[in-house]
């Protein structure tokens, strides 16, 4: 989180307030392409994979995409909705560090990807 020291009594540091506010505003409007995000996600999960769910199921992070700026919002597609909150905070801080988003709130929403083969199997069973 960027910070500056300001003294109202002595008037020091006040000249840095607006430049910092403009810098954070520019970061707030940041957009990152899906390709870059997914290369980043692969590297991060290779170094530090997500923990298993409480039932012991392996969590697979499929891809990440930015759905909105102001504030930067991301959707993480996974095989499980049950991703540890500390791991999501870890991903958020890594995103802030990698893409220079310090001082900007980041939102990560998790969506579960449907298995395309479950529909085919269930249709065959009903025939």
């Amino acid at each position: 989180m960027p910070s500056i020291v300001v003294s109202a009594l002595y008037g020091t540091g006040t000249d840095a307030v607006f430049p910092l506010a403009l810098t954070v505003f520019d970061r707030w409007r940041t957009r990152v392409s899906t390709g870059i995000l997914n290369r980043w996600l692969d590297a991060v999960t290779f170094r530090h994979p997500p923990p298993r769910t409480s039932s012991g199921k392996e969590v697979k992070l499929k891809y990440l995409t930015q759905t909105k700026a102001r504030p930067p919002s991301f959707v993480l597609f996974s095989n499980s909705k049950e991703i540890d909150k500390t791991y999501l905070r870890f991903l958020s801080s890594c995103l802030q560090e990698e893409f220079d988003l310090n001082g900007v709130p980041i939102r990560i929403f998790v969506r579960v990807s449907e298995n395309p083969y479950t529909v085919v199997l269930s249709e065959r069973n009903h025939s």
Side-chain angles (χ1 to χ4, degrees):
M1 179 73 69
S3 61
I4 54 173
V5 178
V6 177
S7 170
L9 181 62
Y10 298 107
T12 58
T14 56
D15 55 336
V17 172
F18 287 112
L20 181 60
L22 291 174
T23 301
V24 171
F25 179 73
D26 284 340
R27 290 176 185 166
W28 186 60
R29 300 182 310 166
T30 298
R31 280 210 158 287
V32 184
S33 75
T34 300
I36 291 171
L37 283 171
N38 286 307
R39 284 189 289 280
W40 170 84
L41 182 65
D42 287 343
V44 168
T45 55
F46 179 77
R47 287 191 316 264
H48 189 76
R52 293 180 177 268
T53 65
S54 58
S55 63
K57 181 180 176 183
E58 182 182 3
V59 175
K60 295 178 185 172
L61 304 181
K62 298 182 178 182
Y63 68 96
L64 180 68
T65 187
Q66 185 174 2
T67 55
K68 177 182 143 183
R70 296 187 267 170
S73 300
F74 302 90
V75 175
L76 176 64
F77 289 86
S78 173
N79 68 332
S80 173
K81 188 90 169 160
E82 197 179 322
I83 298 176
D84 190 61
K85 289 181 183 181
T86 57
Y87 193 77
L88 289 175
R89 281 195 304 268
F90 164 75
L91 289 177
S92 179
S93 66
C94 287
L95 274 167
Q96 287 176 324
E97 184 179 321
E98 179 69 24
F99 299 107
D100 194 27
L101 297 171
N102 293 323
V104 176
I106 290 179
R107 295 179 180 163
I108 299 177
F109 301 98
V110 178
R111 287 201 189 140
V112 177
S113 305
E114 296 296 323
N115 183 345
Y117 298 107
T118 57
V119 175
V120 173
L121 291 174
S122 64
E123 287 176 359
R124 283 187 178 173
N125 291 339
H126 293 295
S127 299

